[in-house]
């Protein structure tokens, strides 16, 4: 009886199809009156009837379409979905055996897969091919690379890669680079010596485009780094957990539009208060390129949370509680003096701060600084231009630490234009800003107001507004601003009167 079931199913389908056809033509006296919606309704009813016949409620029949074939790599030229399952190449999902060659072969086959559609010139569109790690843990002894540059629209996802004890200390578990660009220093020297350095990058200069690394855990085993993205375009690193790196958790160099989001990075797996925090080293995210974004990322241990040496990047929703400032750590280091063009918004600096060298066009706003964390503007050539540090919250322990500080060990700031440090909510720390407001009262002819405790830059007041209010009824004093120097303001009147003087000063306006 069970063996005859598929045949009877086919017979019922044929009979019901004939019934629907007769029913349709019986209801419609003219072919022209049979609407497209009627046809779709009849086809839907046919599909529902077919589905009811193929349900295996009794457990005696399973539709052939519901039987999943064993995963296998898809050879080039096939039109079926291209999903490369690493276990079919011999990768060991238990992590007991080295899986480097097996996973590398999956990379190579994906690279050689059929291409279609359009990406940048010189970049083959792989159509959304996937390298599936199948939720396994794989031991890797060499960096995983594509055979050469020139592919795009590919995803690597769904598992754990762990560096072996002999993994190269300067390598990265996933290395989106070519042999000619794998060395950052060499690549930078080649770029500097190029005669077209001032020109925009040509399309052929990109190694890869639209590569997605998703749902991965990368354990560098204190050997090398996690992910290297060199000279690539529109790369996404999404929902990744990167740990035990010695160098960088993620390195991005040249190219642009790498998006790092919804990820966790830490050299040591900890949740704060680690007794070994003084010894944290490495950099969680190293951005040596422009036009990148880091959003909703947690950095829980490293010497430097994010190092930025390329312009036009944005950080949003970043929580840094790597090595504390008191232990020599830095949450975000902007090492690109003279052309910063960086936005840090809605972020959380947790006992670790921000350092910016010669900031030019820098916005730090709507962020929270906890545990005496602060911002340092570091002079290299004495430039601070177009800086906004506004609407942040600072919380400390009443140790007299200033929310914004100057590092002028290399020389003072000389070019200060359009710098605004204002409207910050401060508790348990000392306010510093580029604007100051004070009120003094006295009975006499001179009022002196010292703004040094609250102004950021020494001996710099560019704009003063004041008003003098007196209750004296028998005199109408003449008064004037007599002196502005060393962040002090002197107001004098021609006669002695009891008065309140209100003064507002500004350092950051253009001269």
């Amino acid at each position: 009886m069970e063996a005859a079931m598929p045949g009877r199913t086919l017979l019922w389908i044929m009979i019901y199809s004939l019934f629907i056809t007769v029913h349709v033509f019986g209801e419609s006296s003219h072919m022209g009156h049979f609407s497209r919606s009627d046809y779709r309704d009849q086809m839907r009813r046919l599909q529902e009837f077919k589905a009811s016949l193929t349900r295996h409620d009794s457990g005696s029949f399973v539709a052939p379409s519901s039987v999943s074939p064993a995963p296998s790599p898809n050879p080039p030229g096939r039109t079926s979905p291209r999903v490369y399952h690493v276990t079919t190449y011999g990768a060991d999902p238990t992590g007991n055996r080295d899986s480097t060659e097996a996973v590398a072969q999956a990379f190579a086959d994906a690279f050689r897969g059929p291409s279609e559609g359009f990406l940048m010139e010189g970049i083959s569109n792989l159509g959304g091919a996937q390298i599936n790690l199948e939720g396994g843990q794989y031991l890797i002894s060499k960096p995983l690379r594509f055979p050469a540059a020139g592919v795009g629209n590919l995803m690597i996802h769904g598992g754990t890669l762990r560096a072996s004890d002999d993994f190269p200390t300067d390598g990265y578990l996933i290395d989106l680079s070519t042999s000619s660009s794998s060395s950052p220093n060499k690549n930078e020297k080649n770029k500097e010596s190029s005669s077209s350095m001032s020109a925009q990058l040509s399309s052929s200069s990109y190694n890869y485009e639209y590569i997605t690394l998703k749902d991965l855990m990368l354990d560098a085993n204190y050997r090398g780094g996690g992910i290297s993205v060199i000279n690539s375009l529109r790369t996404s690193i999404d929902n990744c957990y990167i740990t035990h790196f010695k160098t960088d958790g993620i390195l991005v160099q040249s190219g642009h539009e790498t998006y790092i989001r919804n990820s966790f990075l830490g050299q040591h797996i900890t949740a704060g208060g680690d007794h070994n925090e003084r010894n944290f080293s490495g950099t969680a995210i190293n951005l040596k390129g422009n036009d990148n974004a880091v959003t909703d990322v947690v950095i829980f241990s490293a010497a430097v949370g994010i190092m930025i040496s390329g312009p036009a990047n944005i950080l949003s929703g970043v929580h840094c509680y790597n090595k504390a400032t008191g232990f020599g750590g830095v949450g975000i280091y902007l090492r690109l003096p003279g052309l910063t063009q960086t936005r840090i918004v809605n972020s959380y600096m947790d006992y670790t701060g921000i350092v910016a060298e010669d900031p030019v066009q820098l916005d730090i706003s709507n962020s929270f600084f906890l545990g005496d964390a602060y911002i340092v503007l570091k002079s290299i050539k004495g430039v601070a231009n177009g800086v906004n540090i506004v609407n942040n919250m600072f919380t400390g322990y009443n140790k007299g630490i200033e929310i914004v500080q100057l590092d002028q060990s290399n020389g003072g700031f000389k070019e200060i234009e359009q710098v605004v440090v204002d409207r910050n909510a401060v508790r348990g720390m000392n306010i510093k800003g580029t604007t100051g407001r004070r009120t003094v009262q006295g009975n006499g002819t001179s009022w002196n107001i010292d703004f040094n405790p609250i102004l950021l830059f020494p001996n710099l007041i560019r704009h003063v507004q004041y008003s003098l209010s007196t209750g004296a009824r028998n005199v109408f004093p003449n008064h004037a601003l007599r002196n502005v120097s060393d962040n002090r303001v002197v107001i004098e009147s021609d006669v002695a009167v009891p008065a309140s003087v209100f003064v507002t000063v500004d350092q950051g306006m253009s001269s």
Side-chain angles (χ1 to χ4, degrees), residues 248-294:
D248 303 314
I250 299 173
L251 168 65
V252 178
Q253 181 176 295
S254 302
H256 58 105
E257 297 166 28
T258 294
Y259 274 44
I260 304 169
R261 54 182 176 247
N262 305 322
S263 294
F264 304 88
L265 297 97
Q267 184 183 50
H268 301 268
I269 297 179
T270 180
D274 194 303
H275 296 299
N276 194 44
E277 184 173 344
R278 293 178 181 272
N279 300 319
F280 288 175
S281 61
T283 300
I285 299 175
N286 194 348
L287 298 180
K288 295 185 176 182
N290 59 290
D291 297 3
N292 305 299
V294 181

Side-chain angles (χ1 to χ4, degrees), residues 8-63:
R8 289 197 298 173
T9 300
L10 181 60
L11 178 62
W12 274 106
I13 293 173
M14 294 174 62
I15 292 172
Y16 189 67
S17 300
L18 179 62
F19 166 75
I20 289 177
T21 303
V22 173
H23 180 70
V24 168
F25 281 96
E27 288 183 351
S28 305
S29 58
H30 300 287
M31 285 289 292
H33 293 164
F34 181 63
S35 69
R36 183 172 297 178
S37 62
D38 293 332
Y39 172 75
R40 285 198 297 263
D41 184 61
Q42 296 297 334
M43 291 304 298
R44 178 182 59 78
R45 293 167 59 189
L46 174 59
Q47 294 295 333
E48 290 176 351
F49 179 73
K50 288 167 62 180
S52 68
L53 293 175
T54 57
R55 292 191 188 107
H56 45 92
D57 297 334
S58 64
S60 60
F61 176 72
V62 178

Side-chain angles (χ1 to χ4, degrees), residues 74-75 77-83:
N74 298 283
R78 286 186 58 178
T79 58
S80 58
R82 295 183 291 276
V83 180

Side-chain angles (χ1 to χ4, degrees), residues 11 21 47 68 166 176 180 190 205 261 275 281 320 340 382 423 488:
L11 178 62
T21 303
Q47 294 295 333
S68 300
D166 57 349
L176 296 182
S180 61
N190 290 341
S205 68
R261 54 182 176 247
H275 296 299
S281 61
C320 290
T340 313
R423 302 190 307 276
R488 290 179 171 86

